[in-house]
Amino acid sequence: MSSTATSSARATTTTTPFPDGVGMQPSGPFYHNPEFELFSGLELRKSGRSSRITSGRYNEMECIEFTKAKSKSGQVNVVPTWEHKIASGPDGNLVESGDSGSWVYTRTGALVGILKSGNEAHGTGTMTLMADIFDDIRSVTVATNVRIAPAPHV
């Protein structure tokens, strides 16, 4: 493989999660639009380590999960987080064990969340919205600009 081919392959993997999943790749590079609003029935996709690219539908069901987190002083605090549900699409199961952490995105590549967990028996997944993740990063780091880095130009 020549260095040109290697560079080209890297550019491909930067903008598309897997070479398979024909018809499931986003139409452009991933991006985050803080103004984008999810709506019930919106087709979402995720690229998981185990199940590869699968699709589902946003169903507007929100749930609260409680996580125990230790403060710097060692005190255990219970932290509530809002999570959002995705139902499997026509291609079958949305998630498999090992898919946690996968990006959840629209057909055009709008990054809307990160898969937190899934229930294979029910064909559902739970995601944390990117807006919530960015807000958390800002609050912990005091950063003023949190964003998805653009794909490198090759």
Side-chain angles (χ1 to χ4, degrees), residues 68-134:
K68 291 182 181 178
K70 255 187 195 178
S71 69
K72 289 180 182 177
S73 65
Q75 181 180 354
V76 176
N77 298 312
V78 176
V79 179
T81 58
W82 285 101
E83 308 299 339
H84 298 259
K85 289 291 200 178
I86 310 165
S88 286
D91 59 350
N93 284 339
L94 177 71
V95 297
E96 292 179 14
S97 180
D99 284 345
S100 295
S102 302
W103 283 10
V104 179
Y105 56 94
T106 66
R107 179 182 302 252
T108 62
L111 184 59
V112 296
I114 293 180
L115 187 71
K116 182 173 182 182
S117 62
N119 184 322
E120 291 180 62
H122 292 112
T124 60
T126 304
M127 73 171 166
T128 304
L129 296 181
M130 288 309 299
D132 294 338
I133 293 168
F134 286 174

Side-chain angles (χ1 to χ4, degrees), residues 51-66:
S51 61
R52 306 294 229 171
I53 298 175
T54 57
S55 66
R57 301 268 175 199
Y58 180 68
N59 71 2
E60 285 190 283
M61 186 170 145
E62 294 179 340
C63 60
I64 298 178
E65 292 196 13
F66 296 95

Side-chain angles (χ1 to χ4, degrees), residues 32-47:
H32 175 66
N33 177 358
E35 306 296 316
F36 183 81
E37 291 194 28
L38 294 168
F39 56 89
S40 185
L42 174 66
E43 181 185 354
L44 296 174
R45 297 171 181 181
K46 71 102 193 79
S47 56

